[in-house]
Amino acid sequence: MNYQWYPGHMTKAKRQMQEDIKLIDLVIELVDARIPLSSRNPDIDELGKNKARLILLNKADLADEKKNRLWRDYFKNQGFYVIELDARKHTAMKSIQETILDSCKEKIERDKKRGIKNRPIRAMVVGIPNVGKSTFINSFAGKACAKTGNKPGVTKGKQWIKINKSVELLDTPGILWPKFDDQEVGLRLAWIGSLNDNNIDTEELALELISFLVKEYPGALSGRYGVSEDRKQTIEILGEIAEKRSLLRTGGEIDRTRAAALLMDEFRSGRLGRITLEVPQEEQSNG
Ligand code: G4P
């Protein structure tokens, strides 16, 4: 689902988040492992400042394994709990449960001292559109997905999913607005398909991606399409992809528009391999 964000949407989303955050102990923030910074909105740090914080590097299956580790360390160093995740897989959910308890150990301890027993940890899931929030909630809640609503002391209308006796999840995820004011960030969001493609020149997007891939992932394009990556303008490589895939217009001319759409689609679905589009700053400066 693609969103168009306007200032009004952002104010509303922020206000909603401010209200919801009051009800919870833990913020579970999903980011896209291919662009962990560009898919975040740092405003969540201010909004969730007194809460336990867990970052899920989601779609880790599509991202470069080595770079997943770099990002995990990067966020850990900043004091977040971090897990690499493919939200479609139920197998990862046990370790998430353990990490949730770990991240809230101070609260659990405090409750114990006050004589409060068995008060579940309340958590909410947040992230930009399309990052995998619903997929994660479904996998995490599984079959045990029993909704509990309108408890005394809980804002009317809020629905909680009881995961088990120690964790409850707010059933509606918080939607964070992407920060696409920086052009580079906008480009990366467009690459992974998080911006509305209708407003984007797909050919331009594909050419930028080709340029990135030739530099950072040499062999990815030649491996997939049998094109040569040497000494070529990006537009020639796109043309060669069209040729290799017999994407022609009536009249026999190569169809770069369709080649661009094909490339974007195959990149987004992981058919070009596991690719990460940004690395932590300090890595960049160290070369
Ligand atoms: P949202 O609530 O944050 O908006 O995201 P949602 O769960 O709807 O997920 C958006 C898309 O991302 C879905 O694909 C979903 O299957 C996919 N997805 C979620 N988590 C992961 C993951 O860890 N790895 C991979 N590879 N994909 C993930 P879709 O194209 O909308 O649907 P579908 O065709 O995959 O069913």
Side-chain angles (χ1 to χ4, degrees), residues 34 61-62 224 264-275:
R34 294 165 295 174
D61 55 298
L62 296 173
R224 176 81 192 158
M264 293 319 304
D265 186 52
E266 298 207 334
F267 163 70
R268 287 169 183 169
S269 61
R271 274 170 280 176
L272 292 176
R274 299 178 63 162
I275 289 165

Side-chain angles (χ1 to χ4, degrees), residues 1 3 30 34 57-62 85-89 127-138 173 175 268-269:
M1 191 179 353
Y3 282 68
L30 274 80
R34 294 165 295 174
L57 283 172
N58 196 39
K59 308 198 186 183
D61 55 298
L62 296 173
L85 187 68
D86 175 348
R88 299 164 308 170
K89 297 228 163 84
I128 64 167
N130 216 36
V131 73
K133 298 179 294 300
S134 316
T135 309
F136 167 69
I137 291 176
N138 286 338
I175 300 173
R268 287 169 183 169
S269 61

Side-chain angles (χ1 to χ4, degrees), residues 160-212:
W160 295 87
I161 305 169
K162 194 171 167 58
I163 305 292
N164 50 42
K165 68 176 183 357
S166 45
V167 181
E168 287 184 5
L169 212 59
L170 196 58
D171 86 327
T172 40
I175 300 173
L176 288 172
W177 52 104
K179 271 192 106 68
F180 44 82
D181 38 351
D182 173 329
Q183 273 203 351
E184 286 289 305
V185 171
L187 179 64
R188 292 180 192 128
L189 286 164
W191 275 343
I192 65 160
S194 273
L195 299 185
N196 194 336
D197 269 348
N198 296 335
N199 302 326
I200 289 166
D201 180 341
T202 308
E203 214 172 307
E204 195 58 41
L205 201 60
L207 292 175
E208 296 268 19
L209 184 65
I210 290 171
S211 163
F212 173 87

